[in-house]
Amino acid sequence: MAKSIEQLITDANGRLKAGKTGMVIELRYNKLCLRGQLPPRPGSAKTGSYSQRVPLQYLGNAAGIAKAEADAFLVAGQLIKEKFNWHDWIEIYSPQTATC
């Protein structure tokens, strides 16, 4: 029997937790997004990291979850190396199209 999307996300989030990424995958409006402690977005008045979502253009299916998990590990690596830059994700993040 095939796993449900919710179970696939739970499994992926378990791997992200085991990898100590600090990121989780969420499904919102049939699109996936990442949530974690991230630096302020460009133009924000905030100065420190806080819980934010990175909307992804991946559908809530097995292939999208695999891509989102890979992106979560990438973001976590960038954060550890202090190389995270919203401009790397700006094409993905668009206030006009954000669903997260």
Side-chain angles (χ1 to χ4, degrees), residues 28-93:
R28 297 176 55 92
Y29 310 108
N30 201 36
K31 295 278 179 119
L32 297 170
C33 59
L34 302 177
R35 184 174 44 84
Q37 292 291 117
L38 301 168
R41 291 185 174 113
S44 172
K46 298 196 178 198
T47 57
S49 294
Y50 61 102
S51 182
Q52 298 183 77
R53 289 187 178 103
V54 178
L56 304 172
Q57 296 303 313
Y58 308 141
L59 293 176
N61 58 32
I65 293 166
K67 290 178 184 176
E69 185 176 355
D71 283 353
F73 278 105
L74 178 63
V75 168
Q78 290 175 343
L79 290 169
I80 288 169
K81 295 176 185 174
E82 297 182 3
K83 299 285 186 185
F84 180 84
N85 186 337
W86 273 105
H87 295 289
D88 295 339
W89 299 94
I90 209 80
E91 187 174 315
I92 294 172
Y93 171 74

Side-chain angles (χ1 to χ4, degrees), residues 3-13 15 61-62 65:
K3 290 185 178 183
S4 69
I5 296 303
E6 291 80 15
Q7 186 58 52
L8 292 172
I9 291 172
T10 298
D11 292 349
N13 283 336
R15 290 186 295 273
N61 58 32
I65 293 166

